[in-house]
Amino acid sequence: MASAGDADAGPHGEEDVAVKEPLDLVKLSLDEVVHVKMKGDREIKGRIHAYDQHLNMILGDAEETHTYCEVDEETYQETVKTAKRSVPFLFVRGDVVILIAPSLRQ
């Protein structure tokens, strides 16, 4: 597992936070809140605790949002709905991950 303290020290003692490969960006987001977009119109916002090279992740304080479409059987009108749920800890399988984005910092 990766940890945030693995960065190299620069010539003046500061840490080099350059992103050299894609997983380095995820490493910089450890213990930070991230937004994860997944297959099946699902999105999760949570604090990333751990990940591996397959992007399997453990998220804490996660809020999952599922967007789906319902069709009225009489009028055939489509209605887009969302369902939300909160989970204290969640395992996300990496092969369903489409995008990982850090949340906006305030």
Side-chain angles (χ1 to χ4, degrees), residues 32-49 55-67 83-94 96-104:
E32 300 281 334
V33 175
V34 294
H35 182 86
V36 181
K37 184 170 181 155
M38 304 184 314
K39 294 178 184 177
D41 294 323
R42 294 182 184 271
E43 297 180 13
I44 298 176
K45 183 177 178 182
R47 185 171 305 278
I48 186 166
H49 290 281
L55 282 181
N56 295 320
M57 293 179 283
I58 301 205
L59 299 175
D61 300 322
E63 180 180 73
E64 179 184 19
T65 304
H66 179 218
T67 304
K84 291 187 178 189
R85 70 176 181 143
S86 295
V87 184
F89 274 99
L90 187 66
F91 175 83
V92 177
R93 186 176 164 106
V96 299
V97 173
I98 296 172
L99 174 136
I100 301 173
S103 291
L104 296 175

